[in-house]
Each structure stands twice: as structure tokens, then as C-alpha cells.
Amino acid sequence: MSFRAFRKTATWKALTFIPLGIVFVKHFYTVKIITGRSMQPTLNPEPCIWRDIVVFDRVSVQTVGKFARGEVVALRSPTNPSDLLVKRIVALEGDVVQTLPPYPEQEVKVPPGHVWLEGDEGFRTIDSNRWGPVPLGLIDSKLTFIVWPPPRFGPLPEPLQRRTGTEESRVWRRGFVEMDREKWRDSRVKKAEDSFTKSSA
Amino acid sequence: MLVDHGSYVQRITLILHNGGIEHVLFSKVNGPSMLPTMSVTGDWVLEENLTTHIPSLRPLKRGDIVVATSPFNPRAHICKRVLGLPGDIICVDPTGEYAPSTEHVLIPKGHLWLVGDNASMSRDSRTYGPVPMALVRGRVIARYWPWKDRTIFGSNVTSLGVI
């Protein structure tokens, strides 16, 4: 088949859409499966058969590049550049954080252009308490939307906003525990006043 | 005659994305921190990032010039020379200006020690410590402009005195 004839075929027409797909996935949005337990119970909670599938938002990181405390982000591992890790932003630049055990110092001031990241499951996570503050340049995307499993389909909850359902329901109690966890996390951070990155209310 | 602009745009995107931009970058480097090697006014260099995506093709060596995202500002890029690889023990500053000249660090796994050639005018690993490898955008392989100073940058380990 000549090239001229090949250009008329459906295969050629389909091929022209591949670059659009590549650009969309690399620079706008992508969907990935979460593995590991470091973000329990936000992602991959315990009594669940499936692993979570989540939408990763790259475009807001590459264009606006503003972060808030409490957001869940994906970053390139500082120790292995080929790994993508999921952690929660605890403190922004200028904040003073009270660190947890593996870290040698009691308090750390986050340097400019850095963030303090921690996993939600304190016992099964390797995070800033091991690495120290992480450069913003390592952050690849924000996690925005849970696609799978169906019961938790929806946007990743905003900080302190996940208490739904009636009192005494399982969802309500779980929300209460998570609110406590968020309060504890916030209490360890002394927020900087003049931070250029927007802070969560 | 109708021209299908959509598919032209898509094909050009493919060429730029997978043929050109993605693996070779033509970038301008300026500033005093790499002085004898790069000029202050700005040099145009060829930068490849195929080997940063697939490190097994050619792992970074001591003496390579790399372009990396600045650890202090995610919008800025820095151009520095690799002095230490993971596992190396580096003297932070032999002159004793930024740190006592006896202070040494062990470069952690997945990190690099980056310094500018012009030590007195460079903000580098002496200030911000080891830099994660994931921040490295690409390796500078040649300078093509100004044309009379065209060079191919090898890994000139001997001039650094590193074994």
C-alpha cells in the first residue's frame, strides 16, 4: 500500500489522535491505581477488595502551582526518581512543624520552596519525617477525584469537610475520627503569616 | 480545497513531543555561577533528557553538567556540575565560607551534590544540600551558540580531581 493510500485509511486517522492523548495524559489529567497503605484510611481503606483508582491533576501543578495544607499530592520519590508516591501536605514554606520520631530534630522550619509531607497512616509511611522538607519541584500532581470503588466515587474530601450521613452511622463515626486526626495534624504546625502559597481556611 | 487544520496540529504535536522537545532541548543558560565554562551573557546549549528518563542507558557521572529544577523555586532552573553521586562523602566547603572546612556529608540514596564552577558566585549544594535526582531535567551535552565557542561537554573528571 502506498503512503498516499495509507493516508486515507482509518488507521492513519486514529494515529493522529495519539499525540493529543499523550499530551493530555502528560500535562493535564491522568488516572492511576493507588498501591500501598501509607494513605489509609483516605485511600485504600482496610475492608476493601479493590485498590483505589484516582484522577491525578497535573495541569494545576504545572500552571498555577499553588498548594494548600491538607491537599493530597503525588510526588517523585526523593530517594528513587522513578517512583511516584502519594502523601498529604502538612505544612507549607515558613511554617514550623513539630516532627515525629524518626526525624532527628524536634521542630523544623520549612525552607522557601519546600513543603512538609506526611502519609495518613503514621505507622506505615516513609515521609518527611524520614527525608526532611521536600522541594516543591518534586510534586507531580494533585489527587482530586476517586473513580473506583463505586461507594467512594466522588471528589477527594476537602480538609474537615467529610462528615456526612446521620449521627451514629459508620460514615459519621469514621468522619469523626478523621476530624480528630486532622485537628491533631494542624496542631503540630505553626502557620506562617506571609506565605505566598494559599493556606486552607 | 479544505485544509484539515486539526490533524496538522496533531501531527506537529507528535513530532515536537516525541521527536524533538521530549528528548532534546535547546535552552539558554546564563548567570555567573558556571563562569569559565558558560558565559554570563547567555549561551545556547543542547540538553538531552532521554538518559534522565532511562538512567540505565547512561547513568550520570561526576563532572556532567546538568539542568535541574531549583530546590528553592519550582519555577526556576539551575545549571550546575555533578560533584558527588549517591554514597559519596563530600567536603561541604573546603574554603570554610559556607560551612566549617572539616564538615563532610554522605550523599543519600537518589541524591546528587551539585556545584557551580565559579564557587564564589554560585548558590548550590553548599547552601541547600544534596539535590534529589528527580529534580534533574536533563544533561547538557553541547554548546552551539555563540558558534565560535561551540563545544561538546564531556565528563571532564580529571580537571575536577575526582577519582
Side-chain angles (χ1 to χ4, degrees):
Chain A
M1 185 163 50
S2 73
F3 182 66
R4 206 169 267 271
F6 177 62
R7 282 182 56 172
K8 298 264 189 317
T9 59
T11 322
W12 173 255
K13 280 180 185 151
L15 278 176
T16 60
F17 281 95
I18 291 175
L20 275 189
I22 295 174
V23 169
F24 189 80
V25 165
K26 289 199 85 163
H27 299 293
F28 289 85
Y29 298 91
T30 181
V31 167
K32 283 176 192 287
I33 303 173
I34 310 285
T35 53
R37 316 168 76 172
S38 81
M39 283 303 284
Q40 280 176 353
T42 315
L43 300 166
N44 284 358
E46 199 56 74
C48 193
I49 325 155
W50 297 296
R51 290 184 296 180
D52 287 9
I53 304 180
V54 181
V55 176
F56 286 60
D57 171 9
R58 288 195 163 122
V59 66
S60 68
V61 173
Q62 291 179 5
T63 56
V64 187
K66 287 194 171 171
F67 300 95
R69 300 177 190 89
E71 273 178 343
V72 183
V73 293
L75 77 154
R76 296 263 148 223
S77 164
T79 51
N80 182 2
S82 57
D83 284 357
L84 201 62
L85 311 172
V86 175
K87 299 279 175 262
R88 194 184 284 278
I89 296 179
V90 172
L92 300 171
E93 62 169 41
D95 295 356
V96 178
V97 195
Q98 292 184 339
T99 62
L100 295 177
Y103 203 74
E105 287 151 45
Q106 192 96 63
E107 274 191 353
V108 164
K109 187 162 192 258
V110 182
H114 285 62
V115 282
W116 189 269
L117 302 168
E118 277 177 16
D120 282 359
E121 168 61 278
F123 292 104
R124 295 198 189 90
T125 171
I126 295 175
D127 51 27
S128 277
N129 290 311
R130 195 69 59 95
W131 313 313
V134 174
L136 277 174
L138 287 179
I139 292 180
D140 171 86
S141 46
K142 287 182 190 179
L143 275 70
T144 49
F145 204 90
I146 299 176
V147 180
W148 191 262
R152 294 190 298 117
F153 180 88
L156 230 74
E158 291 282 309
L160 301 172
Q161 298 262 313
R162 73 183 75 208
R163 293 163 306 284
T164 50
T166 51
E167 275 195 26
E168 302 307 316
S169 77
R170 204 159 124 240
V171 180
W172 186 85
R173 263 182 284 130
R174 198 184 288 162
F176 199 78
V177 171
E178 281 173 26
M179 190 178 72
D180 265 6
R181 195 204 312 276
E182 275 160 19
K183 274 186 181 157
W184 172 73
R185 202 170 56 219
D186 267 9
S187 71
R188 286 170 39 223
V189 179
K190 213 173 94 195
K191 287 172 187 163
E193 290 298 320
D194 52 346
S195 176
F196 81 91
T197 14
K198 107 189 155 187
S199 62
S200 66
Chain B
M1 199 181 104
L2 278 168
V3 180
D4 186 6
H5 288 290
S7 64
Y8 276 118
V9 170
Q10 287 159 29
R11 263 168 259 167
I12 290 166
T13 324
L14 175 68
I15 291 160
L16 289 181
H17 204 268
N18 292 332
I21 297 290
E22 187 65 1
H23 301 311
V24 180
L25 290 160
F26 302 91
S27 35
K28 194 183 177 198
V29 183
N30 54 8
S33 76
M34 288 291 279
L35 241 187
T37 322
M38 311 271 185
S39 77
V40 190
T41 48
D43 286 350
W44 287 86
V45 294
L46 204 66
E47 188 193 315
E48 62 84 24
N49 53 16
L50 184 66
T51 57
T52 45
H53 293 153
I54 315 166
S56 54
L57 285 179
R58 183 198 175 281
L60 279 174
K61 293 178 186 158
R62 299 177 194 90
D64 283 345
I65 301 172
V66 293
V67 174
T69 311
S70 163
F72 282 156
N73 181 359
R75 304 262 168 205
H77 288 87
I78 53 173
C79 177
K80 302 279 179 236
R81 202 181 281 276
V82 177
L83 191 65
L85 296 175
D88 291 358
I89 295 170
I90 299 272
C91 177
V92 176
D93 192 6
T95 64
E97 194 187 331
Y98 290 83
S101 56
T102 48
E103 193 186 326
H104 289 68
V105 276
L106 173 68
I107 312 292
K109 190 171 166 259
H111 286 64
L112 298 170
W113 190 263
L114 303 179
V115 288
D117 285 1
N118 183 9
S120 59
M121 293 284 275
S122 170
R123 192 167 74 150
D124 46 35
S125 280
R126 292 171 299 168
T127 320
Y128 41 67
V131 177
M133 267 185 192
L135 286 182
V136 173
R137 184 178 77 177
R139 185 170 63 92
V140 175
I141 44 178
R143 166 173 50 214
Y144 62 91
W145 197 262
W147 184 249
K148 67 173 171 40
D149 297 331
R150 60 192 182 274
T151 344
I152 291 176
F153 297 115
S155 166
N156 55 351
V157 183
T158 46
S159 74
L160 272 167
V162 182
I163 302 158

